[in-house]
Amino acid sequence: MTATTYSEVWDLDVFFKGGSDSPELQEHLIQTEDLIQNFEAKVNNWTPINSLEDANYLQELLADLEVAAKKLFQAGAFVGCLLAQNTEDKKAYSLDAKITSLGAGFQTALGSLDNLFTSIDDVVWQQLVTAEPLKELAFVLTESREKAKEKLSKEEEALISALEVDGYHSWGQLYDLIVSKIKVSFNENGEEKQLSVGQASNKFSSSDRDVRSAVFKNWEKAWGEQKDFLAKTLNHLSGFRLNVYKKRGWEDVLKEALSINRMEKETLETMWAVISENKQKLVQYLERKAKLLGLEKMSWFDLDAPYGNTESKVSYQEGAEFIEQNFALFGEKMAAFTKNAFEEQWIEAEDRTGKAPGGFCTGLPESKQSRIFMTYSGTPSNVSTLAHELGHAFHSFAMRDVPFLNCNYAMNVAETASTFAEMIVADAAVKNAKDEEEKLVLLDDKIQRTVALLMNIHARFLFETRFYEERKLGTVSVEKLNELMLEAQKEAYCGALEEYHPLFWASKLHFFITGVPFYNFPYTFGYLFSLGIYAKALEEGKGYEEKYMALLRDTASMTVENLAEKHLQVDLTQKDFWEKAVHICLDDIDEFLELTNDKY
Ligand SMILES: [Zn+2]
């Protein structure tokens, strides 16, 4: 298709020459610090006069904010790339610390600004944000103001933030510390090994059931040994959170999480209702998979077991061209954008030592470019990751001219473009599979993800909401935690499993994250939301691209209900949209069931 061979190493010099030794970067950081200090001073010098004339000063402030924020993010993204490409880059670590402290100062100034918003009365505020030039930012500015209003006084909130360091976030850190000490014993070729939690959990995707079941036994044992400490940690962390909510007068434990994700509770309830109504097909898949694995019933530790084995390898160049070709079937802009990203070396994919694990996409807003980081070793899942990260980069590309304040999208829509891009490539891979066995491996991989998002995450959601209600009444014992988890898992998996994982409340990091509350449903929302858009794209064909990009541009400046209403003409509080999205997942299962009908 193309004569160029793509580089597997990214170009960072185009931003700042010389990596962590760059004099240009030093200069940039000095400028950033000045800009932040000036912004902070301007915020502190402002006393709103509570009239339309406030618009002038506010507009000036917001212009300064935009410039400072872009500078800060530009530096942060660049240094993030340096750290990822070489984990031994000591100078990059100190640059990173510098940027973190600049960011903290900036956050404080932003908090003060939000507080000043509350001193403007409702009528004046409405007039301010519905007129030019602030009209475009009406949603985010009003959102900041509302959030500030719903909190306690500035002094009380400052006290809470100070107490959080030792009384809240520290519990999350204690969890990490306990987990880092846990060893799961595992017998490999007659030798008794002590695996870290991460190493042990990788064994759950082994194709050998004896391995999976042996690891699981020791896994439960290892977590069980720490259960008292972990239950105490979870009880205090949630107790702190509930006390703060109570002081602020927040009744519903989901209030904060829903507001972060800019969504209504009704939407969430409708989504789960539709998922629950459609679980029977997922149960059929689990039953079939059990038969294919020669089992009576699946257990918790069988859920990641692969179907069959294929050793197919795809070179980077082949993977890149496959992605380009299939993006082109969807739209010209996405294809051209992708080609450009490969040609201009936006991607670091080389398989070499010294790189950080994992993958990410980061935006450099001053340059209107992104950089993608991953390690490409030629597996089919590497191709998906590459497509996924390109989807993120395309999201930023679609938003490149949107004001910075309107670019801060929430977690539930953050994965819209990435999932979309991944779906295009995953579907093409299934279609182009060289034989039936390969097709089944790819389908099974897709379905496993569906099971994780519609069943596993559902169990987490059921457990966590019930646990918080229980916690309001007092400390929750280990026995009760196990009971709540077991009940949630049985319900979420419709009783389709033989053996469950009652200590999942201990082994799942997400319940202990203090930065984001209820780190579960946004995953499922994002997946189905993206699939719903994908369904629409399939219906409308190539012409859909412009509409898709218009939707992406609006992802951070309205509620998800308004976003869906405006761009998809659907009501997220009603079932139709969710049903369509779930059916895309169920179609994969139908195909899987048909192809495996005679295989057991
Ligand atoms: Zn992602």
Side-chain angles (χ1 to χ4, degrees), residues 359-361 388-389 392 414-416 418-419 422:
F360 63 78
C361 174
H388 180 103
E389 302 305 342
H392 280 304
E415 297 299 335
T416 303
S418 54
T419 309
E422 220 181 318

Side-chain angles (χ1 to χ4, degrees), residues 352-390:
R352 59 163 197 269
T353 54
K355 281 173 71 165
F360 63 78
C361 174
T362 188
L364 294 108
E366 279 194 329
S367 317
K368 298 187 183 187
Q369 291 194 19
S370 294
R371 285 297 177 269
I372 287 169
F373 178 85
M374 66 174 293
T375 298
Y376 189 97
S377 58
T379 66
S381 98
N382 288 157
V383 182
S384 307
T385 304
L386 186 53
H388 180 103
E389 302 305 342
L390 280 163

Side-chain angles (χ1 to χ4, degrees), residues 10 69 102 239 243 266 316 318 332 344 357 420 449 581 584 595:
W10 59 18
L102 289 177
N243 271 323
E266 209 184 337
Y316 184 69
E318 284 167 344
E332 278 148 23
E344 307 254 289
F420 188 94
R449 184 161 164 199
I584 296 195
L595 289 172

Side-chain angles (χ1 to χ4, degrees), residues 171-183 197 223 226-231 233:
W171 288 111
Q173 289 155 9
L174 179 64
Y175 177 80
D176 294 339
L177 181 65
I178 297 172
V179 173
S180 72
K181 305 278 179 203
I182 293 180
K183 295 284 173 233
V197 164
W223 289 103
Q226 306 297 332
K227 63 179 192 276
D228 294 330
F229 300 118
L230 295 171
T233 304

